[in-house]
Amino acid sequence: MNSGALGAGLVILTRFPILAATIHPYSLNGSPIDVVAGDWFVGKAAASIVFAHPILGQVEVYNTHFFAKGGDEGPEHQRAHRLVNAWEFAKLVRQSAEVGRYIIASGDFNRSPSTLPMDIIRDHAGLTDAWAVTHLDTPEPNLHNPPSPQDAIHLYGVTADSPLNSYSAGKPLEHRARKFQGKRLDYVLYRQPSSIHATARIPILRAVDTRVVMTELVPGYHFSYSDHFGVEATFDIEAPGGGHATEPTSVDIPTSNHPKPALSQTDISTDSITEALVSLTARYRFAESQARKHLMTFVLCVLALIAIISTSPWFPSYVNPALTLATVAVAWCATTMLYVGFVYGNWEVNPLTNIIEELELYRAALEAGQLGRLRPQ
């Protein structure tokens, strides 16, 4: 599925009949002036398909890739775009579950398990981490005695910045990454349909095994398949009374035509919302400051062009080629600063404003207990 100018690089394959497919580009994906990172040009997004399963009914599978820059320990304003991604993704998943679909969500979320974006995804979307479910008794590693790179992969699900990956071997690691010999940034998450669609005979989707895959080098070459390893998850479909659900007649298949929205019994905490608002507000101020700097640079470039053009008759003729090149360079810089400062400046500030207002309203509703009173007991 394609998004942005270059495409988000998301694909979903299934052997079941596909009923629908869509892609949702995130409203914020870095800056167009950050050409090296390239997130804005590829248009990071959430792609999804809905397929018909003989026992589960409609299943929606998501594949996503979040904004990358900033890391786990980056400055506050660097976290904001990934928080926007997390909030928008969580809303998409929640809406899908509310119409009676099972959800499987995978991708590169570019955040470690205990970080705020993953809290938002787990709490607001109601998603369960398949790796956490299937690795319950894994001991916490010690920075002074870290696991081997192989154990880090098998025990902690490390998929990025592993010393065993040719693209990250020798890369300086952050404090937490050193503790785990890399990072777990890639996930397979899942959830049941919203409880309003549940009956006593609805089948249960449960993760029974997960492992990191594609850790070897490409055969015949000295490099890895990708800078991230893959994650494989195996699911079981259980009957409500226990055992495998093998026949559609033994269970109730959830329908997807219920008009009433369902509310989860658990939700994102007000503390998490407040923490997200701090980051988003910091990014809002940073974005406004950057826009002003870019527009000021545009004004200076215009003044420089006026100076070059007005003084060029007094320069010797052999200087003309250099003046021409300088004029082109300054004009290019002025144009770039104008569209980055004005067009992208507003492009970034407006979604930030919308999401800050959304979260403030949601926090106020949680604090007032309005959402709690609507939840089923």
Side-chain angles (χ1 to χ4, degrees):
M1 297 183 185
N2 293 320
S3 175
L6 302 177
L10 302 173
V11 63
I12 304 172
L13 305 175
T14 177
R15 67 184 181 90
F16 296 103
I18 296 177
L19 305 178
T22 187
I23 188 164
H24 174 88
Y26 295 122
S27 57
L28 290 177
N29 274 314
S31 169
I33 204 170
D34 191 0
V35 178
V36 175
D39 289 50
W40 188 85
F41 294 94
V42 302
K44 296 292 181 68
S48 73
I49 64 165
V50 179
F51 67 80
H53 189 273
I55 296 176
L56 297 176
Q58 289 192 7
V59 179
E60 187 156 7
V61 178
Y62 283 90
N63 187 9
T64 189
H65 193 179
F66 278 14
F67 175 67
K69 197 170 184 178
D72 285 339
E73 301 176 11
E76 197 68 37
H77 68 265
Q78 291 281 25
R79 300 199 306 166
H81 283 210
R82 201 156 35 240
L83 285 170
V84 170
N85 297 168
W87 177 248
E88 292 179 347
F89 182 77
K91 289 196 298 180
L92 289 173
V93 170
R94 188 174 173 121
Q95 290 165 5
S96 297
E98 285 174 354
V99 296
R101 295 170 183 160
Y102 290 85
I103 308 295
I104 298 174
S106 64
D108 176 4
F109 292 84
N110 268 316
R111 289 304 266 179
S112 298
S114 59
T115 55
L116 181 59
M118 297 310 299
D119 288 342
I120 291 173
I121 290 168
R122 283 190 298 263
D123 295 341
H124 191 64
L127 287 166
T128 299
D129 183 353
W131 185 275
V133 167
T134 56
H135 294 78
L136 293 174
D137 299 322
T138 306
E140 183 75 10
N142 190 319
L143 181 61
H144 302 292
N145 186 25
S148 68
Q150 292 86 353
D151 286 343
I153 291 171
H154 297 308
L155 295 176
Y156 303 107
V158 166
T159 58
D161 292 347
S162 169
L164 300 181
N165 191 301
S166 65
Y167 296 100
S168 56
K171 176 182 176 180
L173 299 178
E174 300 169 346
H175 173 82
R176 180 175 177 80
R178 291 198 303 272
K179 181 178 177 181
F180 286 90
Q181 291 284 342
K183 298 178 181 178
R184 182 159 81 94
L185 305 181
D186 303 86
Y187 301 81
V188 177
L189 312 170
Y190 68 100
R191 66 163 291 172
Q192 321 302 322
S194 182
S195 58
I196 200 167
H197 300 273
T199 69
R201 299 177 70 244
I202 190 173
I204 300 169
L205 184 67
R206 195 180 307 280
V208 294
D209 183 54
T210 51
R211 61 193 185 102
V212 178
V213 296
M214 302 182 76
T215 58
E216 65 278 2
L217 299 178
V218 176
Y221 296 92
H222 299 290
F223 52 83
S224 302
Y225 285 96
S226 170
D227 61 335
H228 286 223
F229 298 139
V231 181
E232 179 184 285
T234 303
F235 292 92
D236 193 10
I237 302 173
E238 297 181 0
H244 299 286
T246 56
E247 295 294 334
T249 55
S250 65
V251 295
D252 289 340
I253 298 176
T255 59
S256 299
N257 57 1
H258 205 295
K260 182 180 178 182
L263 293 167
S264 173
Q265 293 183 355
T266 61
D267 207 337
I268 182 174
S269 68
T270 55
D271 289 342
S272 293
I273 293 178
T274 300
E275 187 179 350
L277 285 170
V278 169
S279 179
L280 293 169
T281 303
R283 182 68 196 192
Y284 181 92
R285 292 169 180 160
F286 179 81
E288 285 193 321
S289 172
Q290 288 295 101
R292 285 193 295 269
K293 289 179 182 178
H294 291 143
L295 290 174
M296 181 59 67
T297 304
F298 163 73
V299 172
L300 293 175
C301 287
V302 171
L303 294 176
L305 283 173
I306 294 172
I308 292 172
I309 294 170
S310 60
T311 59
S312 59
W314 284 273
F315 285 97
S317 58
Y318 62 82
V319 181
N320 287 341
L323 288 176
T324 301
L325 290 175
T327 302
V328 171
V330 174
W332 172 83
C333 181
T335 305
T336 302
M337 291 299 104
L338 177 62
Y339 81 72
V340 171
F342 178 71
V343 178
Y344 178 72
N346 290 320
W347 184 314
E348 182 176 23
V349 166
N350 289 339
L352 284 171
T353 302
N354 293 338
I355 292 176
I356 288 171
E357 290 175 351
E358 278 185 37
L359 288 172
E360 286 176 340
L361 289 170
Y362 203 83
R363 181 178 62 180
L366 286 173
E367 290 173 342
Q370 294 174 8
L371 297 179
R373 288 196 297 270
L374 291 173
R375 291 195 188 97
Q377 301 298 320

